[in-house]
């Protein structure tokens, strides 16, 4: 795992939601709209990472939705302090084992279980994923599962394939940094070639000079990174306002 996926800074705030359960797993829940929901699929830091919960709080308030952040790492949590300290401190961590345990094959069924529970209880459902969560939202929005979610959004998706991109069948938004070894130039070009031919609304947002992970783990003390985090958040807010509150 390249260090660009595991670098960032915590924001100065406290989450205001609560911990509950969803489809039998721990889940951070924030917001109170019974008709519109967002399933947020976390990045490598997991469902307890403060930045992810703070983003969920923003979406709950600014979109007008209940936001659910389930635990898709089976109770495991990478220690944020060690990860944020840099690669030279990762020695005690079994990162290869962690990512093998949390592969697509292992976590896809859980992601769909959560989405189906929310689909049954909500009139409108969106899904947003960061890094690890990016491929997850594309799978939820695939043609073979059309009707499960109403729209998806992702920032700096990881391990996304051309097949997953080609299969998307719901409105899709991608927030893409200029420098991203996981969402490569080839995948960016493929997305921008194929998705416009699929007959679905498509919003591609480009973030010059920023790196993979910026939307969750940028440095708020750096003006360009702070502005990038805010812009990505605002883009997702506008996107979900449209698709979750449509008549």
């Amino acid at each position: 795992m390249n260090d660009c996926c595991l670098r960032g800074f915590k924001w100065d705030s406290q989450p205001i939601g609560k911990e509950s359960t969803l489809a039998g797993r721990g889940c951070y829940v924030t917001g109170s709209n019974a008709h519109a929901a967002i399933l947020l699929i976390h990045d490598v830091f997991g469902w307890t990472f403060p930045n992810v919960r703070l983003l969920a709080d923003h979406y709950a308030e600014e979109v007008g939705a209940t936001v659910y952040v389930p635990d898709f790492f089976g109770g495991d949590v990478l220690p944020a302090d060690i990860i944020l300290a840099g690669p030279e401190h990762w020695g005690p961590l079994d990162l290869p084992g962690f990512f093998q345990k949390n592969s697509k094959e292992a976590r896809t069924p859980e992601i769909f279980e959560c989405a189906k529970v929310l689909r049954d209880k909500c009139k409108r459902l969106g899904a947003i994923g960061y890094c690890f969560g990016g491929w997850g939202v594309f799978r939820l929005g695939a043609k073979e599962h059309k009707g499960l979610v109403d729209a998806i959004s992702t920032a700096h998706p990881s391990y996304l394939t051309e097949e997953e991109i080609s299969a998307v069948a719901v409105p899709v938004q991608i927030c893409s940094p200029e420098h991203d070894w996981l969402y490569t130039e080839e995948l960016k070009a493929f997305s921008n070639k194929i998705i416009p031919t699929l007959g679905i609304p498509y919003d591609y947002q480009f973030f010059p000079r920023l790196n993979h992970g910026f939307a969750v783990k940028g440095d708020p003390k750096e003006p360009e990174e702070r502005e990038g985090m805010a812009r990505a958040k605002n883009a997702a807010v506008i996107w979900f306002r449209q698709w979750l509150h449509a008549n």
Side-chain angles (χ1 to χ4, degrees), residues 38-216:
I38 297 172
L39 175 62
L40 192 159
I41 307 178
H42 55 70
D43 67 353
V44 70
F45 284 89
W47 75 298
T48 62
F49 190 51
N51 289 14
V52 170
R53 294 188 173 193
L54 291 171
L55 277 170
D57 290 342
H58 275 290
Y59 295 141
E61 178 181 0
E62 296 173 32
V63 175
T66 302
V67 184
Y68 298 81
V69 188
D71 173 18
F72 290 121
F73 286 162
D76 291 342
V77 177
L78 289 175
D81 291 343
I82 293 178
I83 295 297
L84 294 173
E88 65 274 16
H89 298 279
W90 296 349
L93 304 178
D94 179 16
L95 291 178
F98 179 85
F99 289 109
Q100 183 177 8
K101 178 180 178 181
N102 297 296
S103 65
K104 291 184 180 183
E105 292 74 18
R107 299 308 177 191
T108 292
E110 298 179 357
I111 291 171
F112 273 85
E113 287 173 8
C114 289
K116 289 174 182 176
V117 169
L118 294 179
R119 176 84 278 176
D120 288 341
K121 64 192 296 186
C122 301
K123 182 178 179 181
R124 308 288 291 183
L125 175 61
I128 186 167
Y130 297 93
C131 188
F132 168 89
W135 61 262
V137 299
F138 265 82
R139 289 193 171 191
L140 290 175
K143 183 176 181 180
E144 63 178 303
H145 306 295
K146 194 171 182 179
L148 182 57
V149 296
D150 296 294
I152 63 173
S153 176
T154 182
H156 40 80
S158 63
Y159 308 115
L160 190 61
T161 68
E162 292 185 356
E163 291 75 17
E164 290 163 340
I165 294 169
S166 299
V168 69
V170 299
V172 54
Q173 178 187 68
I174 300 175
C175 290
S176 172
E178 181 176 0
H179 308 293
D180 197 332
W181 72 285
L182 285 164
Y183 187 51
T184 63
E185 293 303 310
E186 292 76 15
L187 284 174
K188 292 173 187 175
F190 185 83
S191 300
N192 288 324
K193 177 182 178 181
I194 295 299
I195 297 177
T197 72
L198 300 178
I200 56 175
Y202 177 42
D203 180 33
Y204 182 83
Q205 302 264 342
F206 180 67
F207 294 76
R209 296 175 295 280
L210 295 183
N211 301 298
H212 182 89
F214 80 94
V216 178

